[in-house]
Amino acid sequence: MIWAAVEASRATGEKDVSFKVLYCGICHSDLHMLKNDWGTSTYPLIPGHEIVGVVTEIGSKVENFKVGDKVGVGCMVGSCHSCDNCADNLENYCPKMILTYGAKDLDGTTTYGGYSDIMVADEHFIVRIPDNLPLDVGAPLLCAGITVYSPLKYYGLDKPGMHVGVVGLGGLGHVAVKFAKAMGVKVTVISTSPNKKKEAIEHLGR
Ligand SMILES: [Zn+2]
Ligand SMILES: [Zn+2]
């Protein structure tokens, strides 16, 4: 299999937050990367990009986090902070964006994801996990959650009285239903799987 002993994450830089990983979701892209389905994987590979834990160390210039904070990180751990895309909060289009795993880090080493013991990331890509959100259920929000929350907000589909269709009731779809319902939106699930009707109505419908 692909697991192998690898070096620990990079040292904590002055703008970095290090945290002990307590939970990490499994996104389908982790499975694609494990099997090199996209032809971009390099090994050893440690996937995982729905990562939550508790801060163990902060760099000298970190402003927003302290040791002991509950935090998470998604699919990015760094970017250049100086290009037009970074200035527009579109770091995902930064030519120097650093993916959470399988990418080249600032020091030239390979990044490793959330199935590690410790994560190190630029504080800009760290999010705070509120005390009233259990860490285990918070983890999947960092990819599956934001992937559906973002378009609901971006396209203004978050207003009570609106009517939204969710195609497919899988890992992302069921989170979309929960967000949309919480926003007061009427939701219709569209699926070709008959058993999803029961799941949608009985488990997510109320
Ligand atoms: Zn993902
Ligand atoms: Zn940039």
Side-chain angles (χ1 to χ4, degrees), residues 39 71 75 101 138 156 167 176 181:
V71 296
C75 65
Y101 65 84
V167 181
K181 278 176 57 69

Side-chain angles (χ1 to χ4, degrees), residues 140-175:
L141 299 180
L142 291 157
C143 180
I146 192 62
T147 300
V148 291
Y149 178 85
S150 177
L152 284 167
K153 295 293 283 186
Y154 185 84
Y155 292 106
L157 302 171
D158 55 345
K159 315 285 187 302
M162 299 193 84
H163 192 170
V164 166
V166 174
V167 181
L169 194 66
L172 271 64
H174 90 280
V175 185

